[in-house]
Amino acid sequence: MTSLPDPFLAAAIAEAEQGQCEGGIPIGSVIVAQGKIIGRGHNRRVQKGSAVLHGEMDALENAGRQPASVYRQATLYTTLSPCAMCSGAILLYGIPRVVIGENKTFVGEEALLRSGGVSLEVRQDPTCIRLMTDFIRTHPELWNEDIGV
């Protein structure tokens, strides 16, 4: 028996693909509260010349100003393991659960998130892995810039 595709991870993947179509880094994220997407975004560092617009940060920005109670019962879906900056934002806003598309190409601050009480689920989704593997191979300079190498 196969499980049905997760519509929220699929939405994060669609964001990653949109970012790639725009010439950016294919990482996407959505924030889900009460079964609905309240914020979605993708890495737009290249497109906007931004130092901080990773997929998770863009999704938080696009969720707009929310009461703390909304974040404290939300789930953040991201196509790639969150970096230190994005993990800090997850902890700051008290998001209790993160679904990670993959962490084969990059392991972010998962230990920090777990130590802060965040529940993590790593899916190792083949589409997420392919997006990042292909991108890292074809654009190593952008990838190294994005992760601060």
Side-chain angles (χ1 to χ4, degrees), residues 72-84:
R72 288 192 189 120
Q73 54 85 48
T75 299
L76 184 141
Y77 288 76
T78 181
T79 59
L80 186 65
S81 183
C83 73

Side-chain angles (χ1 to χ4, degrees), residues 78-101:
T78 181
T79 59
L80 186 65
S81 183
C83 73
M85 174 179 65
C86 297
S87 294
I90 290 163
L91 292 169
L92 176 68
Y93 288 102
I95 296 171
R97 181 172 178 249
V98 176
V99 176
I100 299 168

Side-chain angles (χ1 to χ4, degrees), residues 60-120:
L60 281 164
E61 178 70 15
N62 290 328
R65 190 171 168 199
Q66 298 288 331
S69 60
V70 171
Y71 292 117
R72 288 192 189 120
Q73 54 85 48
T75 299
L76 184 141
Y77 288 76
T78 181
T79 59
L80 186 65
S81 183
C83 73
M85 174 179 65
C86 297
S87 294
I90 290 163
L91 292 169
L92 176 68
Y93 288 102
I95 296 171
R97 181 172 178 249
V98 176
V99 176
I100 299 168
E102 69 102 348
N103 68 1
K104 286 187 179 291
T105 60
F106 176 77
V107 178
E109 297 298 324
E110 294 177 19
L112 175 65
L113 289 169
R114 283 190 185 97
S115 75
V118 178
S119 168
L120 301 182

Side-chain angles (χ1 to χ4, degrees), residues 5-63:
D6 183 324
F8 300 128
L9 184 57
I13 291 169
E15 285 292 326
E17 291 170 337
Q18 176 65 32
Q20 187 171 41
C21 287
E22 294 170 359
I25 299 163
I27 303 168
S29 183
V30 298
I31 301 167
V32 177
Q34 297 181 336
K36 295 184 178 149
I37 295 173
I38 62 166
R40 59 190 310 140
H42 51 272
N43 187 305
R44 296 191 301 151
R45 290 186 66 250
V46 173
Q47 300 91 312
K48 296 280 188 181
S50 170
V52 297
L53 277 182
H54 284 193
E56 300 90 337
M57 302 300 282
D58 195 36
L60 281 164
E61 178 70 15
N62 290 328

